[in-house]
Amino acid sequence: MQWLEYLPLIAKGALSTVELALVALVLALFLGLLTALAKLSGKPWLILPAQCYTTVIRGIPDLALMLLIFYTIQIGVNQITDKFGLGRFEIDPFVAGVMTLGFIYGAYFAETLRGAFLAIDPGQAEAASAYGLSAWQTFHKVVLPQLIRFALPGISNNWQVLVKATALVSIIGLSDLVMAAQEAGRSTHNTLMFMVLAGAVYFCLSGFSSLLLYWLKHRSAAWVREAQL
């Protein structure tokens, strides 16, 4: 059957999608943590830009933001290279996808992590300090286990949405699962079948993520119990 010839292409696109989602997740968590800490710092010069970031990002559709960020980065980089006579520079679609998704979802993770920090009783950190624990030991043994437990439901939801949002990255040229399905569909004149296949792959990724996050939920509960001993 002709369509079997395109399964390696679909598999390669699926792998690219998973890699994109995982790297973007790391960037989004990093930006989210920095933004959450800025909002909780009590310093207006940190709170204001952090608040603007989360408000603007969460108020604009992901597709519009993705195009805006991608072309802004592309134009900005080329303006710099033209200024120094370095010629035109094309941003790698994977890098562009990671940067755009990470920047967009960093705003959502920021609110998730900020809520998790606020849910932790500050008296516990004070008690840990009174027992002689260092700042790192307090964070690692007392704050982090509870932070994970409180943030995990929100992180789970944001991760599921981020995985599905990777489908939008095909519009900036990344050979992801959606683009692979489109290419296979055009070549075989059976776009419907390959788009259904792509949807099934996304569904499997979502199901696997749910199982992994369910395990993490129970593991985080064990971390909290260990921290309380």
Side-chain angles (χ1 to χ4, degrees):
M1 290 182 288
Q2 184 183 11
W3 64 272
L4 290 175
E5 301 175 3
Y6 293 91
L7 289 183
L9 178 64
I10 298 298
K12 183 179 179 181
L15 179 61
S16 179
T17 292
V18 172
E19 291 175 345
L20 172 65
L22 289 174
V23 180
L25 174 65
V26 174
L27 178 58
L29 284 171
F30 176 72
L31 291 176
L33 180 60
L34 291 182
T35 305
L37 292 174
K39 284 192 168 187
L40 296 171
S41 66
K43 300 176 181 178
W45 62 276
L46 289 175
I47 295 174
L48 181 59
Q51 186 63 47
C52 291
Y53 167 53
T54 55
T55 301
V56 171
I57 294 299
R58 292 188 299 158
I60 301 177
D62 290 354
L63 180 57
L65 272 172
M66 190 166 293
L67 291 171
L68 178 63
I69 294 171
F70 173 70
Y71 287 114
T72 299
I73 293 173
Q74 185 75 60
I75 292 171
V77 170
N78 283 323
Q79 285 179 341
I80 294 173
T81 56
D82 289 344
K83 183 177 180 180
F84 290 96
L86 300 176
R88 305 295 292 176
F89 179 79
E90 295 294 330
I91 298 178
D92 181 76
F94 183 85
V95 175
V98 168
M99 293 176 66
T100 53
L101 286 176
F103 185 74
I104 291 170
Y105 284 90
Y108 293 92
F109 281 109
E111 291 304 306
T112 297
L113 294 172
R114 185 178 71 88
F117 273 116
L118 292 175
I120 300 174
D121 185 356
Q124 297 188 31
E126 295 172 1
S129 178
Y131 272 102
L133 271 68
S134 65
W136 167 248
Q137 289 174 323
T138 299
F139 177 77
H140 178 66
K141 295 182 178 295
V142 179
V143 176
L144 183 60
Q146 297 181 82
L147 179 68
I148 293 174
R149 184 184 66 171
F150 290 129
L152 196 55
I155 291 175
S156 301
N157 292 334
N158 291 333
W159 162 252
Q160 298 282 20
V161 176
L162 190 155
V163 171
K164 291 185 289 185
T166 57
L168 300 174
V169 182
S170 60
I171 64 174
I172 61 176
L174 179 65
S175 298
D176 67 334
L177 178 58
V178 172
M179 181 173 285
Q182 290 174 334
E183 292 178 0
R186 284 193 295 266
S187 299
T188 61
H189 304 289
N190 197 349
T191 302
L192 176 61
M193 183 188 71
F194 283 102
M195 294 310 296
V196 169
L197 178 59
V201 173
Y202 274 110
F203 182 79
C204 291
L205 290 175
S206 178
F208 176 76
S209 297
S210 297
L211 291 175
L212 179 60
L213 292 166
Y214 180 79
W215 175 81
L216 284 174
K217 176 182 177 181
H218 286 272
R219 187 70 190 97
S220 66
W223 287 338
V224 172
R225 289 194 296 269
E226 292 171 3
Q228 293 175 340
L229 293 178

